[in-house]
Amino acid sequence: MKLDIIFAGVGGQGIVSIASMLAFAASEKGFAVKQNEVHGMAQRGGSVACHVRISDKSVWAGIIPKGSADFILSIEPMEGLRYAGYLSPSGIIISGNQPVKNIDYPDENRVISAIKKHEGSVVIDTAALADKLKNTKAANIILLGALIKKIGLFGPEMESLIKKRFASKGESVVDINLKAFNAGMSNI
Amino acid sequence: MLLGDEAVAFGAIHAGISAAYAYPGTPATEIQEAVQKYSALHPDAKIKADWSINEKVAYEEALGCSLIGLRSMVSFKHVGLNVAADPFMSSMITGANGGLAVVPCDDPGMHSSQNEQDSRFYAFFAQIPCLEPIDAQEAYDMTREAFDISERFKIPVMVRSVARLSHTRGKVRFSGEQKQNKLKIPENFTGWNVLPSNARAQYDSLLSKQADFIKWSNSHPANRIHIEKGAATGVIATGLGFNYFMEAASSSGGASYSYLRVATYPVPEQKIRELLKNVSTLIVIEEGNPLIERLIWKYIAETGKKIAVKGKLSGDLPSAGELNTESVRVVLGLAALKSSAAVSSDIVRGRPPQLCKGCPHADTFYALNKALAGKTEKVVFSDIGCYTLGFYPPFKAIDSCVCMGASVGMAKAASENGLKYSVAVLGESTFNHSGITPMLEGIKRKSPFTVIILDNSTTAMTGGQDTICIGEDLEKVVLGLGLEKEHLRVVNPIPKNLDENAAAILQELEYEGPSVVIARRECLQIR
Ligand SMILES: Cc1ncc(C[n+]2csc(CCOP(=O)(O)OP(=O)(O)O)c2C)c(N)n1
Ligand code: SF4
């Protein structure tokens, strides 16, 4: 078993935190795992990506080679497209639909349809789902739910991890994040 | 799951360090932050881990601990070692008492840096041992080991990291914790006083240790060698280059190679000789500048054979930027992996980092632009920090940026050599780091320049570490350097003050002597 996943987005969107949850769950299950993160200048509103590599053998490189990614999980649609060249022939993009327009942004519809051109790729209405949950910052956890559904592994581990990670912030925060996770699971 | 940086921190903590010294800088920052976190949670451990004012001081602090027999670590980004180069190069003469590990983190690809430089060359230059981990576990193990061999050889030891190691998480198994050393004053200070007569003897001793270093390196288990029967191609890979090699070789479609990973320096000569025995082509894969590719000729000459060498110098691997599995596949002669897609480049746009909305620096830039409007004989010398982004539109407020603190000396010299409007713009952390000495010079020489210090009370660029001297204390420092009181202006950079601030800056620009404007407002990201 081998899973190469690129998490893409804009600095400050919570990419590192969902990537680390998946990496942690897989590592606890005994898989070899490496997770590369971005720290530093790019976090200042620039594009950021985080690579998670999971394998039942050994993982050598911390970054995913082009042509090898099984999934690109993008909180911001154009950022997902940026790494399309990393997809393996069967790889897909799972993207949210909320653009971050801190630059001269391309036509949104073209971005979305370019994502959908990659066979099997999905754009999730994170805008509407987050709205329903009354939590504008839930997009990352929603997408994590969608990814876990697609992978078909680590579901229960992720729920208990959400409970653990958000426990210090109170029950209602745990609850919202569990709901967001399940919304992602059931909307893909 | 620990970051490479965190693994380095725990390696040092479990090796019994008494202190860690550092100045923030990507990709090294998380080392010190991890020590600080540990030290806050375990006050009984008594580990000092404050931020130092700059890297030279950090190095000297670590060396001071070593002199009194304690273990200490010093870490910074690669260019930090340039700042610390003076004590670093002298410390190979003094040697170490308590274990001293120096951990520079290189940034091939310049993700967050102004240059690419390979710290292994510094280890080579200083003739000290260097370890090069390739994953978080090794970052932990090798940092621990660095302290042991530092004490065994009585010499500072380098652990070299790079961004992709510092910032990659992996599982780490800890080994037992060692107690801190007891303070011990040296009985004899001749080694610690580099008067030429002492230094000559110390240098001889360093030279005589080289053979021991090589022996240690020859037998180090991380220098893994594999001889493939019948393979005419041999590979020497170092650092993350070894990971990319192993990854590429695992889907090589049957091609196989003899290989040697070099993980310790000076290089394990015996193993290099063993590898060369069997090959007619040698591929050298190094993350950083070619070091082994330059050293290898001596060993090739010894074989008396003709061996072709492929690497960065030969143009078979790219000289700039990071290695990756793709470029290593190319040098190995393997086909590229197939991808389903090309990037739709007409849709995807660049997204460079930007100043936060409402950042105080933006208001200072607008005021400075207004003060300089219509003036032609002007240069805005700037520096390194969030404010370097003021180079881009919509601000276009700054011109040069060279290295930390350079703005002050450059502006001072330009002003005394005829430039009418000569301005330095730098953050307060950069000023603390290396702006104070050139400012003292400029003030004492009465140079007609203006320094704008952007006091956002934090080292923002690297994630908001506290700056030692800010606010009123900073004013006192500037006045203490001898600046005339009426030419120190403190302004509040908010949109409403634009005209007032521009006028204050303009007044100081017109003054034909040294002047300072402190633009003081907190960074928005301060927690
Ligand atoms: C020698 C050296 N050490 C460290 C760094 C990393 N670094 C870049 S900018 C900076 C400090 C920024 O702080 P400040 O000057 O206060 O500006 P701010 O980012 O807060 O605007 C640091 C530490 C560097 N580039 N060079
Ligand atoms: S982090 Fe602070 S100093 Fe840097 S851009 Fe944001 S507000 Fe400005």
Side-chain angles (χ1 to χ4, degrees), chain B residues 426-499:
Chain B
L426 76 171
E428 91 295 331
S429 185
T430 304
F431 179 72
N432 274 248
H433 178 283
S434 47
I436 298 175
T437 34
M439 184 181 283
L440 176 61
E441 185 182 311
I443 291 171
K444 291 298 176 195
R445 298 278 179 238
K446 301 194 166 48
S447 310
F449 72 133
T450 301
V451 178
I452 301 182
I453 304 176
L454 309 167
D455 182 2
N456 60 1
S457 52
T458 188
T459 315
M461 172 97 264
T462 46
Q465 297 75 21
D466 51 294
T467 301
I468 293 174
C469 182
I470 59 172
E472 280 177 22
D473 289 347
L474 185 65
E475 284 176 49
K476 285 185 201 151
V477 166
V478 172
L479 292 174
L481 296 177
L483 187 79
E484 285 172 35
K485 211 167 175 183
E486 41 305 357
H487 293 290
L488 170 63
R489 310 286 289 263
V490 180
V491 303
N492 179 13
I494 52 174
K496 159 166 110 40
N497 292 353
L498 173 66
D499 291 338

Side-chain angles (χ1 to χ4, degrees), chain A residues 4 9-10 16 20 23-24 27-28 30-31 33-47 51 53 59-68 76 78-79 81-91 99-107 110-111 114 118, chain B residues 1 3 26 30 111-113 134-136 163-171 224 240 242-244 246-247 250 322-326 329 336-344 346-357 385-386 388-389 392 460-464 525:
Chain A
D4 282 340
V10 177
V16 174
S20 77
F24 181 79
S27 169
E28 288 291 287
F31 289 99
V33 181
K34 277 188 182 170
Q35 177 198 340
N36 182 263
E37 319 180 341
V38 172
H39 295 253
M41 191 154 179
Q43 284 176 304
R44 198 95 37 266
S47 59
H51 292 207
R53 313 197 69 191
V59 176
W60 287 104
I63 43 174
I64 297 168
K66 290 206 172 87
S68 181
E76 202 283 347
M78 188 188 76
E79 293 305 325
L81 273 186
R82 189 184 303 282
Y83 303 99
Y86 283 81
L87 285 175
S88 79
S90 60
V100 176
K101 298 187 171 176
N102 61 355
I103 50 164
D104 176 23
Y105 203 83
D107 177 31
R110 280 186 66 211
V111 173
H118 298 285
Chain B
M1 296 276 292
L3 284 176
T26 316
E30 292 78 15
H111 295 281
S112 288
S113 303
I134 56 172
D135 60 24
R164 296 286 185 187
L165 170 68
S166 284
H167 291 163
T168 296
R169 281 179 199 281
K171 202 164 185 151
R224 181 169 152 188
L240 298 192
F242 183 68
N243 285 345
Y244 301 128
M246 292 303 275
E247 169 117 15
S250 69
E322 294 179 289
L323 293 174
N324 50 42
T325 307
E326 294 89 311
R329 289 188 75 88
L337 297 175
K338 264 210 219 78
S339 171
S340 71
V343 179
S344 341
D346 60 321
I347 303 183
V348 178
R349 312 253 161 100
R351 195 191 298 266
Q354 309 177 352
L355 290 182
C356 305
K357 254 203 196 89
C386 280
T388 315
L389 297 169
Y392 296 124
M461 172 97 264
T462 46
Q525 304 293 340

Side-chain angles (χ1 to χ4, degrees), chain B residues 70-128:
Chain B
L70 306 178
R71 289 188 164 190
S72 63
M73 172 168 67
V74 52
S75 65
F76 31 60
K77 70 185 286 156
H78 60 326
V79 289
L81 191 47
N82 301 336
V83 178
D86 200 9
F88 172 73
M89 291 304 291
S90 286
S91 70
M92 70 174 188
I93 296 294
T94 63
N97 285 355
L100 199 173
V102 47
V103 190
C105 299
D106 294 353
D107 190 6
M110 297 186 237
H111 295 281
S112 288
S113 303
Q114 64 264 47
N115 78 356
E116 289 192 6
Q117 61 183 48
D118 185 333
S119 295
R120 294 177 306 160
F121 281 78
Y122 263 117
F124 183 69
F125 194 21
Q127 306 177 69
I128 60 166

Side-chain angles (χ1 to χ4, degrees), chain B residues 28-156:
Chain B
T29 311
E30 292 78 15
I31 297 176
Q32 189 75 348
E33 285 180 341
V35 182
Q36 289 174 342
K37 211 163 137 193
Y38 179 90
S39 156
L41 286 172
H42 304 87
D44 298 349
K46 292 208 170 18
I47 299 175
K48 276 227 160 317
D50 297 326
W51 290 111
S52 301
I53 199 158
N54 68 30
E55 293 89 349
K56 177 178 187 287
V57 174
Y59 197 94
E60 289 155 351
E61 289 168 327
L63 196 58
C65 286
S66 175
L67 183 148
I68 56 169
L70 306 178
R71 289 188 164 190
S72 63
M73 172 168 67
V74 52
S75 65
F76 31 60
K77 70 185 286 156
H78 60 326
V79 289
L81 191 47
N82 301 336
V83 178
D86 200 9
F88 172 73
M89 291 304 291
S90 286
S91 70
M92 70 174 188
I93 296 294
T94 63
N97 285 355
L100 199 173
V102 47
V103 190
C105 299
D106 294 353
D107 190 6
M110 297 186 237
H111 295 281
S112 288
S113 303
Q114 64 264 47
N115 78 356
E116 289 192 6
Q117 61 183 48
D118 185 333
S119 295
R120 294 177 306 160
F121 281 78
Y122 263 117
F124 183 69
F125 194 21
Q127 306 177 69
I128 60 166
C130 170
L131 294 133
E132 209 183 357
I134 56 172
D135 60 24
Q137 182 68 53
E138 279 195 356
Y140 175 80
D141 292 333
M142 289 184 167
T143 305
R144 285 196 66 137
E145 183 186 353
F147 290 96
D148 292 339
I149 57 172
S150 171
E151 286 177 5
R152 181 166 131 212
F153 294 132
K154 299 192 93 27
I155 196 82

Side-chain angles (χ1 to χ4, degrees), chain B residues 134-464:
Chain B
I134 56 172
D135 60 24
Q137 182 68 53
E138 279 195 356
Y140 175 80
D141 292 333
M142 289 184 167
T143 305
R144 285 196 66 137
E145 183 186 353
F147 290 96
D148 292 339
I149 57 172
S150 171
E151 286 177 5
R152 181 166 131 212
F153 294 132
K154 299 192 93 27
I155 196 82
V157 171
M158 180 183 291
V159 179
R160 181 216 185 198
S161 183
V162 295
R164 296 286 185 187
L165 170 68
S166 284
H167 291 163
T168 296
R169 281 179 199 281
K171 202 164 185 151
V172 179
R173 229 171 307 105
F174 289 160
S175 26
E177 294 174 30
Q178 189 156 328
K179 275 215 187 79
Q180 289 175 339
N181 289 354
K182 288 227 160 59
L183 190 151
K184 181 166 176 277
I185 298 170
E187 279 145 27
N188 181 337
F189 277 96
T190 49
W192 284 95
N193 187 312
V194 298
L195 279 168
S197 61
N198 295 340
R200 274 182 221 114
Q202 287 293 106
Y203 189 51
D204 282 343
S205 137
L206 175 70
L207 293 176
S208 70
K209 286 176 191 167
Q210 297 301 314
D212 300 329
F213 298 166
I214 294 172
K215 239 199 210 146
W216 161 75
S217 190
N218 277 333
S219 61
H220 201 287
N223 297 321
R224 181 169 152 188
I225 187 164
H226 168 83
I227 304 292
E228 179 80 18
K229 274 226 172 77
T233 302
V235 173
I236 293 182
T238 72
L240 298 192
F242 183 68
N243 285 345
Y244 301 128
F245 165 66
M246 292 303 275
E247 169 117 15
S250 69
S251 55
S252 69
S256 49
Y257 318 86
S258 292
Y259 63 81
L260 168 65
R261 173 189 168 202
V262 173
T264 61
Y265 306 83
V267 293
E269 297 191 327
Q270 240 171 36
K271 286 181 175 165
I272 290 181
R273 291 191 178 107
E274 197 181 330
L275 181 82
L276 290 182
K277 255 191 233 156
N278 302 294
V279 303
S280 58
T281 300
L282 180 72
I283 300 174
V284 186
I285 305 169
E286 301 178 84
E287 185 75 294
N289 302 336
L291 175 64
I292 293 188
E293 201 181 341
R294 287 189 166 94
L295 301 178
I296 198 71
W297 297 102
K298 168 184 159 197
Y299 306 99
I300 290 181
E302 281 173 13
T303 66
K305 291 194 296 184
K306 229 183 124 173
I307 297 178
V309 178
K310 290 185 180 179
K312 294 189 171 182
L313 294 175
S314 70
D316 292 287
L317 278 168
S319 293
E322 294 179 289
L323 293 174
N324 50 42
T325 307
E326 294 89 311
S327 57
V328 169
R329 289 188 75 88
V330 172
V331 72
L332 293 174
L334 303 172
L337 297 175
K338 264 210 219 78
S339 171
S340 71
V343 179
S344 341
S345 55
D346 60 321
I347 303 183
V348 178
R349 312 253 161 100
R351 195 191 298 266
Q354 309 177 352
L355 290 182
C356 305
K357 254 203 196 89
C359 171
H361 298 337
D363 291 303
T364 306
F365 289 145
Y366 289 131
L368 175 63
N369 283 349
K370 189 160 184 172
L372 284 169
K375 313 232 175 317
T376 47
E377 205 188 298
K378 57 163 176 145
V379 176
V380 179
F381 298 90
S382 193
D383 231 298
I384 307 193
C386 280
Y387 50 91
T388 315
L389 297 169
F391 182 77
Y392 296 124
F395 311 108
K396 293 184 154 179
I398 64 162
D399 300 314
S400 69
C401 165
V402 179
C403 67
M404 287 191 75
S407 61
V408 182
M410 289 172 82
K412 180 251 179 196
S415 76
E416 68 192 16
N417 285 286
L419 179 68
K420 175 97 178 68
Y421 298 106
S422 191
V423 192
V425 175
L426 76 171
E428 91 295 331
S429 185
T430 304
F431 179 72
N432 274 248
H433 178 283
S434 47
I436 298 175
T437 34
M439 184 181 283
L440 176 61
E441 185 182 311
I443 291 171
K444 291 298 176 195
R445 298 278 179 238
K446 301 194 166 48
S447 310
F449 72 133
T450 301
V451 178
I452 301 182
I453 304 176
L454 309 167
D455 182 2
N456 60 1
S457 52
T458 188
T459 315
M461 172 97 264
T462 46

